[in-house]
Amino acid sequence: MEILDRFDGLHGKITVVEERRTGARLYLEEGVKQSYVLPGGSAGLDYVRLMGRLLQNASDIALFGCGGGALATELYRCGCRVTVVDDNAISFEIARRYFWMPGGVVCVSADMATFLESTPRIYGAIGVDVGGPDFDYEAVLDMPTCILLRQRLAESGRIAINIATEWVEENSLERIAARLRCENLTVWICMEAPR
């Protein structure tokens, strides 16, 4: 492993590391892996590839959480218009400089609730990939925010949310799912053991 750079981010120290053997790069925030990106910008994590497949048929996509930008990169390369929203603006620079995120991906520095409240735009798909060890998913995905997510989603659109289950309370997934559920939105919970 080779350290490529270090940054002071909004949520702590960010380290960009490259595997010498593969050329894959990691985005570590306070020592926690936030992204694993293969050379050229492809996602190196199964859950990111799954989110990409769930969202890729939409023409206009909002993504919350940037990290290394692998999800944004893959969707953009499929021909989607992609807007990435993150409150840690330095992530955009890091994703472009070290993780191959294309310049055509629109980047907005804001937290999720503020962005959802301030934009009237409707998206064909929405991806939420935020979090970390001290992250409060239930506070961020509270009822008002979940209502806003539903309001910004086009009819027959999809929302894909990644929640690190090792960092949430029991029944958190069910409570968040209940906030998202409505007449036009079916909610599924898919659980996968970490590798």
Side-chain angles (χ1 to χ4, degrees):
M1 293 282 209
E2 176 185 354
I3 295 174
L4 299 181
D5 215 335
R6 289 189 170 102
F7 301 88
D8 290 322
L10 184 64
H11 307 291
K13 297 281 185 196
I14 298 169
T15 306
V16 178
V17 178
E18 182 175 270
E19 293 178 340
R20 287 190 177 125
R21 186 178 55 82
T22 66
R25 294 181 178 172
L26 287 89
Y27 179 112
L28 304 168
E29 190 170 44
E30 289 296 312
V32 176
K33 183 177 10 175
Q34 297 291 334
S35 292
Y36 180 74
V37 182
L38 303 177
S42 298
L45 298 172
D46 290 340
Y47 88 86
V48 177
R49 288 191 292 271
L50 174 60
M51 287 181 76
R53 283 194 296 275
L54 290 169
L55 302 173
Q56 72 184 4
N57 293 328
S59 61
D60 199 10
I61 301 172
L63 299 177
F64 296 96
C66 181
L71 181 57
T73 298
E74 291 204 350
L75 292 168
Y76 182 82
R77 288 179 179 163
C78 286
C80 306
R81 283 187 310 272
V82 180
T83 300
V84 179
V85 180
D86 199 306
D87 64 353
N88 198 5
I90 197 164
S91 293
F92 307 137
E93 176 189 340
I94 295 168
R96 291 196 201 284
R97 187 186 313 170
Y98 293 102
F99 293 93
W100 307 280
M101 189 171 78
V105 173
V106 176
C107 297
V108 178
S109 181
D111 67 73
M112 183 165 47
T114 301
F115 178 83
L116 291 168
E117 288 169 355
S118 66
T119 184
R121 195 162 183 175
I122 302 298
Y123 295 92
I126 298 172
V128 180
D129 189 10
V130 296
D134 298 321
F135 192 78
D136 188 344
Y137 288 96
E138 288 205 60
V140 172
L141 293 166
D142 60 8
M143 183 58 88
T145 302
C146 287
I147 290 170
L148 286 167
L149 283 168
R150 293 190 324 235
Q151 290 173 343
R152 298 296 171 256
L153 186 66
E155 190 172 325
S156 74
R158 292 183 177 170
I159 300 173
I161 301 174
N162 174 49
I163 297 176
T165 56
E166 65 268 25
W167 298 325
V168 295
E169 295 178 16
E170 188 176 343
N171 299 323
S172 286
L173 299 180
E174 291 81 4
R175 287 191 292 271
I176 293 168
R179 295 172 193 159
L180 288 165
R181 193 170 287 117
C182 67
E183 183 178 322
N184 298 326
L185 189 61
T186 303
V187 178
W188 298 347
I189 298 174
C190 302
M191 304 263 308
E192 179 183 322
R195 293 184 181 195

